[in-house]
Amino acid sequence: MKHLSIIVPDGQNNLSSIIGAYKLFTRANEYWKECGRGELFDIQLVGVSPRVEFYNGLVTVNPHTQISSIRKTDLIIIPSLNHHYQKAIKENEPLIGWLRKQYKDGAEIASICTGAFILASTGLLTGKRCSTHWAVAEQFRSMFPKVHLQTDQLITDECGIYTNGGAYSFLNLIIYLIEKYYDRQTAIFCSKVFQIEMDRQSQSTFTIFTGQKMHGDEMVKKAQAYIESKLHEKISAERLSSMFSVSRRTFDRRFIKATGNTPVEYSQRVRVESAKKAFETSRKTINEVMYEVGYSDVKAFREVFRKITGISPLEYRNKYNKEALL
């Protein structure tokens, strides 16, 4: 039998991903027993401490065991964290060394949502792809610049390390892992029992783009502000670089380093975010919104919108604005 360690970190208040993972894997085990194959995993909640309080003492969790008692495990799940990530890392330092050792000894590791901060602090994500909640992408990039963050991806799977996007999308990761460890039939059964959509790959539709501003490059901040204030104008990178008296190459390099996007990509994301808000709050047509955000070609607008959100402008409007259907 394989061993599954669902981590219960110290000083955290996010219980849902711990209990959700435990319930789904437990049901997968039960399904295998019903099919005559026996349990696949010995499932344990594993803590840094023997007792952890959640929600200011409202709920107390007594993990089955502590990390110091686990010599070898096969799969580790790191749940989501509170918003104080530096504090979370410091409070769980023993966990970080344990994760490195277990991975070296052959364990696979999955992080849920902001649990990626703990995983990244081990160094195991360096040079690898990673996802986390889109709302903390900027902070994550500033703390772990050597990790290839891809917040458009709902799930990443690389070298026995899995990460996923934000909030309750962890359910999709657990279904993914169940399919990988058990089989497709078990994953489908669990998805039906818990009513979780199968094969969801992107969290782009849910992203709210606020601009990457957590950097110290004042020139880039001014360029960002200019792009955001000239939504209806087509602004070239050459024009922007000349405004700040630097070469195009220097401007692009600094912009990408600070924001993670090229100037063109940044402009596209600002315009699409404005279009999304218009679709959510007004009865304007696709063409009206398209012109408002500086596009004149329907095909080009549709392609950029789909690239960033994962769905078409019409699908987005129908999904988030019921009045538009009346």
Side-chain angles (χ1 to χ4, degrees), residues 67 86 94-95 97 120 133 147 154 171 204 235 256-257 289 300 303:
I67 58 172
Q86 295 282 15
L95 173 62
H133 198 297
V147 178
L154 192 71
L171 296 169
S204 297
I235 306 169
I256 293 169
K257 183 180 179 182
V289 172
E303 286 177 353

Side-chain angles (χ1 to χ4, degrees), residues 158-216:
E158 189 172 356
C159 302
I161 293 178
Y162 311 90
T163 67
N164 97 286
Y168 284 89
S169 71
F170 82 84
L171 296 169
N172 299 98
L173 172 65
I174 302 304
I175 291 293
Y176 180 87
L177 292 173
I178 287 172
E179 179 174 355
K180 193 145 193 169
Y181 275 88
Y182 294 81
D183 53 27
R184 179 75 174 179
Q185 182 181 346
T186 307
I188 291 172
F189 174 79
C190 290
S191 76
K192 289 181 176 180
V193 169
F194 291 94
Q195 300 190 32
I196 303 165
E197 184 181 352
M198 288 282 289
D199 301 322
R200 200 180 128 212
Q201 299 296 322
S202 174
Q203 63 173 342
S204 297
T205 307
F206 303 99
T207 301
I208 301 173
F209 184 67
T210 56
Q212 302 101 331
K213 306 287 175 60
M214 290 178 64
H215 59 81

Side-chain angles (χ1 to χ4, degrees), residues 6-253:
I6 301 174
I7 301 301
V8 183
D10 276 357
Q12 300 304 302
N13 269 333
N14 292 325
L15 189 58
S16 58
S17 56
I18 296 172
I19 300 304
Y22 183 78
K23 287 187 69 175
L24 273 158
F25 271 101
T26 298
R27 191 64 188 91
N29 259 359
E30 291 171 354
Y31 181 72
W32 261 41
K33 283 180 68 177
E34 291 164 6
C35 295
R37 286 177 283 187
E39 295 183 343
L40 180 64
F41 277 109
D42 175 18
I43 307 166
Q44 287 190 305
L45 300 188
V46 180
V48 177
S49 301
R51 185 173 182 272
V52 183
E53 290 188 348
F54 287 80
Y55 307 111
N56 299 316
L58 182 64
V59 178
T60 300
V61 174
N62 300 306
H64 296 108
T65 188
Q66 285 75 60
I67 58 172
S68 57
S69 300
I70 302 291
R71 292 187 177 181
K72 189 176 189 316
T73 188
D74 297 287
L75 176 61
I76 301 165
I77 296 178
I78 307 169
S80 57
L81 307 172
N82 287 341
H83 299 302
H84 306 292
Y85 305 116
Q86 295 282 15
K87 183 181 177 185
I89 291 167
K90 187 175 181 179
E91 288 180 340
N92 291 277
E93 282 181 359
L95 173 62
I96 292 166
W98 182 82
L99 288 168
R100 286 196 204 101
K101 183 181 184 306
Q102 291 297 330
Y103 183 71
K104 183 180 178 182
D105 291 345
E108 295 195 326
I109 305 176
S111 69
I112 289 171
C113 190
T114 51
F117 282 83
I118 289 281
L119 181 54
S121 68
T122 66
L124 297 175
L125 280 175
T126 300
K128 295 184 178 68
R129 295 176 299 113
C130 169
S131 185
T132 188
H133 198 297
W134 56 263
V136 298
E138 198 172 350
Q139 186 175 357
F140 186 92
R141 284 194 182 96
S142 69
M143 288 177 64
F144 306 105
K146 294 182 180 179
V147 178
H148 302 313
L149 187 63
Q150 299 183 335
T151 52
D152 59 318
Q153 295 297 305
L154 192 71
I155 296 168
T156 66
D157 174 347
E158 189 172 356
C159 302
I161 293 178
Y162 311 90
T163 67
N164 97 286
Y168 284 89
S169 71
F170 82 84
L171 296 169
N172 299 98
L173 172 65
I174 302 304
I175 291 293
Y176 180 87
L177 292 173
I178 287 172
E179 179 174 355
K180 193 145 193 169
Y181 275 88
Y182 294 81
D183 53 27
R184 179 75 174 179
Q185 182 181 346
T186 307
I188 291 172
F189 174 79
C190 290
S191 76
K192 289 181 176 180
V193 169
F194 291 94
Q195 300 190 32
I196 303 165
E197 184 181 352
M198 288 282 289
D199 301 322
R200 200 180 128 212
Q201 299 296 322
S202 174
Q203 63 173 342
S204 297
T205 307
F206 303 99
T207 301
I208 301 173
F209 184 67
T210 56
Q212 302 101 331
K213 306 287 175 60
M214 290 178 64
H215 59 81
D217 195 321
E218 291 303 318
M219 181 197 76
V220 174
K221 285 183 180 179
K222 290 177 181 176
Q224 288 174 278
Y226 186 82
I227 291 171
E228 291 164 11
S229 69
K230 303 292 182 181
L231 195 65
H232 314 300
E233 296 182 22
K234 190 172 182 178
I235 306 169
S236 67
E238 288 83 0
R239 178 178 166 188
L240 284 168
S241 60
S242 65
M243 284 174 57
F244 297 101
S245 302
V246 295
S247 69
R248 164 72 187 275
R249 184 177 179 182
T250 298
F251 179 79
D252 283 355
R253 177 180 56 79

